[in-house]
Amino acid sequence: MQLTQIDQDVEDFVVKNFLFGQQDGLTPDESLLERGVLDSTGVLELIAFLEEHYAIKVEDDDVTPDNLDSVARISDFVSRKLGYSG
């Protein structure tokens, strides 16, 4: 799986589930929390998606803005969990 595919998968999930299918100018580095796209329930939905879609385990210590606050950060986090470098 290419990193760009992870980016696209995450963006598609966010747009479909939190932006009602409208990309609405969302950029990969934009904070999902500051923009109000994700709240605490949304974070749990995102974690469930990541664990199911990528067969990874998101530990409590992983739930930080550094890992889950933007499409780019989520993609980087998933890549690290899958053991991809780059």
Side-chain angles (χ1 to χ4, degrees):
M1 184 177 300
Q2 298 290 324
L3 180 59
T4 56
Q5 184 61 52
I6 297 171
D7 290 336
Q8 190 63 56
D9 290 346
V10 171
E11 182 176 304
D12 288 349
F13 177 81
V14 169
V15 168
K16 178 181 176 189
N17 292 284
F18 304 115
L19 296 174
F20 307 104
Q22 303 294 316
Q23 206 270 348
D24 198 24
L26 180 69
T27 62
D29 294 320
E30 190 169 6
S31 170
L32 299 173
L33 297 170
E34 288 180 13
R35 186 173 168 168
V37 174
L38 285 182
D39 58 14
S40 58
T41 302
V43 170
L44 295 176
E45 291 177 41
L46 174 64
I47 290 169
F49 165 75
L50 296 176
E51 289 184 336
E52 181 178 330
H53 193 78
Y54 297 105
I56 61 174
K57 177 69 178 157
V58 178
E59 305 292 342
D60 290 345
D61 291 346
D62 295 331
V63 183
T64 68
D66 285 341
N67 291 330
L68 303 175
D69 191 32
S70 71
V71 169
R73 287 180 179 195
I74 297 165
S75 181
D76 288 345
F77 170 71
V78 170
S79 296
R80 289 192 310 272
K81 281 289 195 176
L82 293 173
Y84 296 150
S85 62

